Amino acid sequence: MKKFFMMIAMLAVTVGMQAQTKFHDAEANDVKGAVKKMTINVMGRDQVFTFSEDGKAQIEGLTDVVYDADGYIQSAKMNIQGQQVGVTYTWENGRIKSQSMDMMGQKMTITHNYNDKGEVTSDAINMGGQEMSSPYSDYKYDDHGNWISRKGQMMGQEMEQKRSIEYYK
């Protein structure tokens, strides 16, 4: 069960920078610029995110999306491994500060901590009252300033996250 929650947490972390678009879904997924497609490898599994030219996420299983007047996502429903999960977002200074999910009767909140460069230095994860921290380091970036590799830790396990990003021309 812990592995399931760890996988859910890592998928949620990827779902968490200023794009010049109507929608800020790219920022909600921790990328900036005219991103067309992002593929991230989480625990040996590739997850693909695509974005329309106006910045709206086109993610399979994402439904009932609610935006505020400025195009920032406020809530959505996601299908994660056959489970319908409600997600709410809290924004601060144009970045996701936290996201909360209700799944299988458990509430999980992930709070992102940023440094002065706008990098996520760690995620504080609260799963049903159980707290854990997931620190990140050793960032590598592409020519657009988006990270393509970083190292992290979760539940004592070291991991490397890699992602590839395709941009609109």
Side-chain angles (χ1 to χ4, degrees), residues 88-154:
T88 58
Y89 300 88
T90 304
W91 293 81
E92 184 176 279
N93 300 321
R95 297 185 197 136
I96 291 211
K97 181 61 181 165
S98 66
Q99 54 196 42
S100 297
M101 292 164 269
D102 293 312
M103 56 190 169
M104 297 171 31
Q106 292 273 356
K107 183 171 184 171
M108 179 171 74
T109 301
I110 300 169
T111 303
H112 306 293
N113 300 299
Y114 296 89
N115 64 16
D116 293 341
K117 295 189 272 184
E119 298 170 325
V120 176
T121 57
S122 67
D123 288 322
I125 303 166
N126 181 323
M127 285 193 287
Q130 184 177 1
E131 301 268 342
M132 70 176 125
S133 179
S134 179
Y136 299 104
S137 63
D138 298 328
Y139 280 84
K140 292 182 176 68
Y141 297 91
D142 67 10
D143 293 339
H144 296 268
N146 285 311
W147 70 265
I148 54 172
S149 174
R150 69 181 180 184
K151 292 185 180 172
Q153 266 192 356
M154 182 172 278

Side-chain angles (χ1 to χ4, degrees), residues 27-74:
E27 296 154 39
N29 289 281
D30 193 25
V31 288
K32 58 186 173 186
V35 175
K36 182 176 188 177
K37 179 179 173 183
M38 177 180 69
T39 303
I40 185 166
N41 186 283
V42 178
M43 297 174 61
R45 181 175 170 233
D46 281 346
Q47 186 167 10
V48 178
F49 299 84
T50 58
F51 302 91
S52 64
E53 288 191 71
D54 64 353
K56 193 169 189 178
Q58 300 168 325
I59 301 169
E60 186 176 330
L62 188 69
T63 62
D64 300 334
V65 182
V66 175
Y67 294 94
D68 69 9
D70 296 318
Y72 289 95
I73 189 170
Q74 300 298 299

Side-chain angles (χ1 to χ4, degrees), residues 2-35:
K2 279 189 175 187
K3 186 173 182 177
F4 173 75
F5 281 116
M6 186 168 123
M7 189 165 122
I8 297 294
M10 289 310 304
L11 289 172
V13 165
T14 64
V15 168
M17 323 272 173
Q18 199 67 17
Q20 311 301 314
T21 60
K22 178 179 177 181
F23 297 101
H24 299 277
D25 292 356
E27 296 154 39
N29 289 281
D30 193 25
V31 288
K32 58 186 173 186
V35 175

